[in-house]
Amino acid sequence: MWGLLAGIASYPFIAWYSHRRLEEQGLPSGFTRTMLVFLIATALSTVLGYGVSWLTSKPEAGVPRQHLQQATTQLLGHELQCLQNPASAACQSAIQQSQQLKEELLSGAAGRH
């Protein structure tokens, strides 16, 4: 949230500064300078927002996401194997794991609201 606020708040200042800087460099006024100011301000405010988000986020917040990402990747691999032999024991195990992962994702999403 703080990253979003920092990015939004910094955009006008970055745009104003880059506009003045490009004017000092002698770039003529027009569409090219306007687009360049827009791109510079967007890129720098986005980087600033990501930096603030990274600094203010808790390190332990990424651990459950990594676990869910790894579990999802493993299940996709199992699903591909199930296409070849759907009646195998590994396929039945993958179905159970996917149900557990779905319940975990849904309980996590319901807990945040």
Side-chain angles (χ1 to χ4, degrees), residues 49-68:
Y50 277 122
V52 169
S53 290
W54 181 72
L55 289 173
T56 59
S57 67
K58 298 176 185 172
E60 58 272 359
V63 174
R65 285 190 213 138
Q66 290 174 352
H67 166 69
L68 291 175

Side-chain angles (χ1 to χ4, degrees), residues 18-19 22-23 26-41:
S18 61
H19 177 75
L22 290 173
E23 190 174 347
L27 189 63
S29 180
F31 182 74
T32 304
R33 187 168 78 183
T34 303
M35 286 305 296
L36 196 55
V37 166
F38 171 74
L39 291 174
I40 290 170

